[in-house]
Amino acid sequence: MGFHFDFMGRRRQFYVLSAVILVVALAGFFVRGLNLGIDFAGGIQMQVHFQKPVQLAAVDATLKKDGVTNYFVVYLGHSTQNVQISMPPVSETLRATVDHSLSRDVGPYSITSFTKVTGSFSSQVVRGGIIAVLLASLGIILYMVIRFDLRFAISGIFAVFWDAFVSLGLVALIHFTVNAPFVAGVLTIIGYSINDRIIIFDRVRENLKKRGKESLAEVVNLSLNQTLGRSIATATVVVMAMTAILVLGGTTTQDLAATVVIGVVFGAYSSILLASPIWYDWVSRVEAQEAAAAVRVGRAPAPRPKLATPDPLAEQAVRQQTAGRNRPRGRKRRRRR
Amino acid sequence: MSGRGLGGLVAILVVLLAVAFYFTSVNPALRYVKQGLDLQGGVQVVLQATAPVTAADMQKVENIIAFRANGFGVSSPSIQIQNQNQIVAQLPGIKNQQQAITALGQTAQLEFKGPKGQPILSGADLVSAQAALASTGGTGAVINLTFNAAGTKAFATATQAYLHQPISIFLDGKNIETATVQSVISNGQAQITGIGTLQQAQQLATLLSSGALPVPLKIIEATAVSATLGASSIHASEVAGLVAMALIGLFMVAAYRFAGFLADMALFFYLMLFVAILVAVGFVMTLPAVAGVILSAGIAVDANVIIFARVREELRAGLSVKTALDKGFRNAFRAILDSNVSTIIAAIVLYYFGSGDVRGFAVTLGLGVAISFVTAILFTRYLLRLAEDSVLVSNLKVFLG
């Protein structure tokens, strides 16, 4: 095989890189902070279409005159007829007054979209989102413990949290506005990132079973190089699809799409350069301790611990599908390096 | 070499294209997909009780809000209780949006009025309204009303003043019942007679007894999307979807040649199956749900990428095409199963703990991954077998490698 990269040999450099990325992201999150949209921060957001082009200053003056505070007025897109007005959740009476004076003083308009969210509702959305993220992670850890083992699960989920924090931090740094769909975006990242880890760990598990005299580092390197093509292809496909939504899909799903694009890129990175090294360091330490213990009591090293269980379910399912087609050749075991 | 497989492939391609043509140009399938408020325009209001409430109270509140929503004359308003103390009202396609938001949040007004509109008493004075079948001699059903002390007094005075004249009952200013006073009623017990069926009587009784809101409501969230914005969102997501699919399709052909083309056919089949299921279950499509569809299409493609990468490896190791296909599929199966199951777990959790928009995304993501598990594995496998069986067999190595 042509391309072969020694991922494990350089893992310390990657640890440093991962730490630097995390620090930058955390700084973004805690110093700059997320740009919370109306769904999280609460308030009123109106998108209005004036029949004639208007000056923002005129809208501004009208709001001020009516006694609205902490409002925010911007043009929507390139037209000077479309204006977005954001303000705190004022009473229906005040809003009606604003409605009236806007059409009288600035010009006749129609409301294209209107959203009002109170603080209690937004904290409910946030709480629901956090609970969802934690429970989803828990469910996935359990699944990985059942299908793989605890070491794979912990290494995997550690890198998943890295992905989640890095994505949150970068979203804060870029500072685009996030609304309710952002929660779905963060969950998508977690799902994708787990997905990515499983594909690679599955290969590590498989190669461990066939392991001959190779070192653990060689096994992990082989697995990563074997899955590298797939990792790149899949990340490309998802990034392309989500970029299409980001650019063409309208404002509602932009924050979701942008979050997923960031998360997928860093998810691909951390599967290869963070989750696998962590797993490697953990397992190689365990193997070294076992070897040392064996030497102390003066006997040959114990047979390697079985790190992965065979998978009767999948084997059986495929066997059923392929029954009758590949019976003669399917049994033959080929050993490759 | 046989042409059997090739014939099969061509036949499937022709059928797929014909079905696609029918469902895009002749009888657009997307027309049958229900659209959420963000796509067709409309109003959504979340109302929350401002004091502790019981389930029975919320039931009353739901009835009142439903009554008001029906009053706007929109095609299919949806009213639901959420989190024990909230009501979500959705009014798709409503024209006068701001007025609707204000009206939904109002305190209900139940009034009894005299023949010339003189106010007699309000819903606050009504203790209960119960439907019953008419006693022997009468026809249809009746409603028994019970008033409190103040109401009893007011009603006694009114029935004396308006004996043999009609008294009307108004809910939110709308006349829901007019009955003629038969006798002076001083015990606070009145009966509305001559209502068609017991069911009608029950409906009316519910309205009457819920007339006075058991608890004040506050609007905690209101969203209005104009029909124009909805239409432009539909257009935007159609364009985004088409471009995303085209990019994925081209990428697959570039990366995996003929096998990539077969994967594209499977993706195509997947999309049609997906739309069919969404229509069949009456799923309400929203913008985040569109994102879920596109994301799960990416995951569907991932399955094929994993399979092809495996098959390629086996071919490089020198296996025959047929064995490489079988082995590649078998090796890829476990990884795809594990990754898909974990995504579905995330989707299920998202569905149960997310709200509105997020739920739609969870449904399309979870459902999409489940469907793709079938199409990307079984359908692609079938197509590859046909290809292997066809005259293309000698070239398959080249296509995959």
Side-chain angles (χ1 to χ4, degrees):
Chain A
M1 285 237 277
F3 184 80
H4 188 91
F5 188 83
D6 181 14
F7 290 102
M8 289 307 105
R10 293 171 181 266
R11 68 183 187 286
R12 294 209 168 75
Q13 279 141 285
F14 293 126
Y15 282 143
V16 173
L17 181 60
S18 307
V20 170
I21 295 174
L22 186 63
V23 167
V24 170
L26 287 180
F29 186 76
F30 288 109
V31 178
R32 195 164 158 87
L34 284 173
N35 182 1
L36 295 179
I38 178 170
D39 286 350
F40 295 124
I44 290 178
Q45 184 171 300
M46 277 197 320
Q47 294 179 355
V48 298
H49 175 78
F50 286 96
Q51 282 172 16
K52 292 191 182 107
V54 294
Q55 293 295 320
L56 285 186
V59 181
D60 204 275
T62 312
L63 289 169
K64 194 175 277 172
K65 198 187 69 200
D66 283 346
V68 183
T69 51
N70 294 322
Y71 56 85
F72 197 67
V73 183
V74 287
Y75 285 126
L76 209 57
H78 301 295
S79 156
T80 51
Q81 284 171 269
N82 296 327
V83 177
Q84 176 168 302
I85 304 170
S86 314
M87 54 177 141
V90 297
S91 71
E92 282 295 296
T93 334
L94 178 53
R95 209 183 53 73
T97 315
V98 170
D99 242 17
H100 183 71
S101 32
L102 271 183
S103 50
R104 191 192 54 207
D105 301 345
V106 185
Y109 67 91
S110 58
I111 299 179
T112 43
S113 114
F114 172 88
T115 312
K116 175 179 178 176
V117 179
T118 61
S120 64
F121 189 73
S122 56
S123 58
Q124 184 185 317
V125 171
V126 173
R127 206 170 41 236
I130 293 174
I131 293 176
V133 168
L134 291 179
L135 284 176
S137 314
L138 193 69
I140 294 167
I141 292 181
L142 278 178
Y143 183 75
M144 280 190 82
V145 170
I146 295 168
R147 298 284 295 163
F148 289 81
D149 66 22
L150 193 64
R151 285 173 203 149
F152 278 117
I154 302 286
S155 322
I157 217 74
F158 181 86
V160 168
F161 279 118
W162 182 89
D163 289 348
F165 283 125
V166 165
S167 309
L168 278 174
L170 289 183
V171 167
L173 266 186
I174 301 170
H175 221 58
F176 57 81
T177 319
V178 295
N179 276 309
F182 174 67
V183 176
V186 173
L187 263 145
T188 307
I189 293 179
I190 292 179
Y192 176 85
S193 146
I194 289 283
N195 213 52
D196 219 41
R197 236 119 291 188
I198 286 177
I199 306 298
I200 293 174
F201 283 170
D202 174 72
R203 187 56 85 100
V204 174
R205 171 171 71 175
E206 182 185 321
N207 286 337
L208 275 176
K209 267 189 277 183
K210 304 191 222 165
R211 183 177 173 188
K213 287 196 292 284
E214 303 92 338
S215 70
L216 194 62
E218 280 166 349
V219 172
V220 178
N221 269 336
L222 174 67
S223 310
L224 288 177
N225 279 292
Q226 281 172 333
T227 49
L228 192 62
R230 174 264 155 196
S231 299
I232 293 170
T234 298
T236 312
V237 163
V238 178
V239 166
M240 280 193 315
M242 290 326 262
T243 307
I245 299 183
L246 176 63
V247 178
L248 306 163
T251 50
T252 318
T253 43
Q254 264 173 2
D255 54 346
L256 190 153
T259 312
V260 172
V261 168
I262 294 172
V264 165
V265 171
F266 285 93
Y269 166 92
S270 76
S271 294
I272 301 171
L273 303 177
L274 187 61
S276 305
I278 292 174
W279 180 87
Y280 166 76
D281 274 331
W282 188 351
V283 175
S284 61
R285 189 158 303 169
V286 172
E287 280 196 354
Q289 278 166 2
E290 277 168 2
V295 169
R296 255 200 315 280
V297 296
R299 60 174 166 82
R304 283 207 176 87
K306 266 209 154 169
L307 286 160
T309 47
D311 195 338
L313 179 68
E315 299 272 330
Q316 193 190 347
V318 173
R319 207 170 296 132
Q320 275 164 2
Q321 281 172 25
T322 57
R325 271 197 77 100
N326 64 336
R327 207 176 296 124
R329 267 175 278 177
R331 299 271 154 131
K332 216 189 283 172
R333 267 262 152 84
R334 282 183 77 97
R335 207 169 246 283
R336 293 182 291 110
R337 306 259 121 148
Chain B
M1 286 215 282
S2 84
R4 201 164 55 94
L6 185 63
L9 275 184
V10 171
I12 292 175
L13 186 61
V14 168
V15 169
L16 277 180
L17 287 177
V19 172
F21 176 74
Y22 180 77
F23 282 116
T24 50
S25 305
V26 184
N27 185 10
L30 288 178
R31 198 195 291 155
Y32 301 104
V33 178
K34 285 187 193 157
Q35 293 164 353
L37 290 179
D38 54 352
L39 293 178
Q40 64 164 306
V43 165
Q44 170 173 305
V45 175
V46 181
L47 298 150
Q48 183 174 291
T50 52
V53 281
T54 63
D57 287 341
M58 284 313 285
Q59 201 58 53
K60 279 188 181 178
V61 173
E62 190 185 2
N63 286 329
I64 298 173
I65 301 299
F67 176 76
R68 289 180 189 174
N70 284 319
F72 295 122
V74 295
S75 57
S76 50
S78 138
I79 315 292
Q80 283 174 324
I81 299 177
Q82 170 183 289
N83 298 337
Q84 282 104 52
N85 69 343
Q86 293 170 352
I87 295 271
V88 183
Q90 295 186 315
L91 308 173
I94 187 162
K95 289 271 156 27
N96 205 333
Q97 303 190 331
Q98 297 307 309
Q99 206 182 324
I101 293 176
T102 317
L104 279 179
Q106 268 174 5
T107 315
Q109 291 288 328
L110 176 71
E111 292 163 308
F112 285 71
K113 287 182 177 173
K116 290 194 178 70
Q118 310 89 328
I120 300 170
L121 46 77
S122 75
D125 298 319
L126 186 68
V127 174
S128 79
Q130 277 168 333
L133 275 171
S135 48
T136 31
T139 55
V142 298
I143 296 175
N144 295 311
L145 304 172
T146 311
F147 299 109
N148 63 13
T152 305
K153 209 170 149 196
F155 203 63
T157 321
T159 44
Q160 201 155 25
Y162 310 128
L163 194 62
H164 303 304
Q165 289 181 56
I167 283 183
S168 303
I169 304 171
F170 288 84
L171 184 60
D172 286 343
K174 189 179 157 198
N175 185 351
I176 54 169
E177 187 65 34
T178 299
T180 307
V181 180
Q182 309 285 357
S183 59
V184 177
I185 298 167
S186 53
N187 64 351
Q189 304 274 337
Q191 193 174 55
I192 305 174
T193 55
I195 298 167
T197 65
L198 184 62
Q199 204 186 352
Q200 282 172 344
Q202 266 159 351
Q203 231 165 21
L204 188 55
T206 317
L207 273 181
L208 289 176
S209 53
S210 49
L213 275 174
V215 58
L217 296 177
K218 192 178 77 171
I219 295 181
I220 58 167
E221 194 229 19
T223 319
V225 174
S226 69
T228 358
L229 183 64
S232 75
S233 293
I234 293 178
H235 181 70
S237 40
E238 275 176 5
V239 171
L242 276 178
V243 170
M245 295 307 155
L247 284 175
I248 293 178
L250 286 175
F251 176 84
M252 289 301 283
V253 171
Y256 300 99
R257 312 296 160 85
F258 186 66
F261 176 71
L262 296 183
D264 287 346
M265 278 170 71
L267 181 66
F268 204 61
F269 179 59
Y270 156 84
L271 283 174
M272 290 197 289
L273 200 60
F274 203 171
V275 173
I277 291 176
L278 290 179
V279 171
V281 301
F283 178 76
V284 180
M285 203 61 162
T286 57
L287 281 174
V290 172
V293 171
I294 298 181
L295 183 66
S296 58
I299 294 174
V301 169
D302 182 41
N304 283 335
V305 169
I306 295 170
I307 293 167
F308 294 163
R310 286 286 192 161
V311 174
R312 222 178 231 187
E313 261 174 49
E314 303 300 339
L315 287 173
R316 283 207 185 105
L319 265 68
S320 76
V321 172
K322 192 174 176 157
T323 320
L325 279 181
D326 282 336
K327 226 178 153 198
F329 267 90
R330 190 167 53 235
N331 288 336
F333 181 85
R334 192 182 44 220
I336 297 171
L337 176 77
D338 284 344
S339 68
N340 284 3
V341 169
S342 59
T343 308
I344 290 174
I345 291 176
I348 291 174
V349 172
L350 202 47
Y351 180 81
Y352 277 102
F353 295 92
S355 58
D357 275 2
V358 174
R359 281 191 149 191
F361 174 80
V363 170
T364 48
L365 180 64
L367 194 61
V369 170
I371 298 171
S372 82
F373 191 72
V374 176
T375 57
I377 295 185
L378 294 184
F379 193 65
T380 310
R381 190 190 177 95
Y382 181 66
L383 293 178
L384 276 168
R385 277 214 180 124
L386 286 178
E388 178 228 311
D389 222 23
S390 73
V391 284
L392 300 161
V393 66
S394 52
N395 295 325
L396 197 58
K397 234 172 189 160
V398 182
F399 289 132
L400 262 171

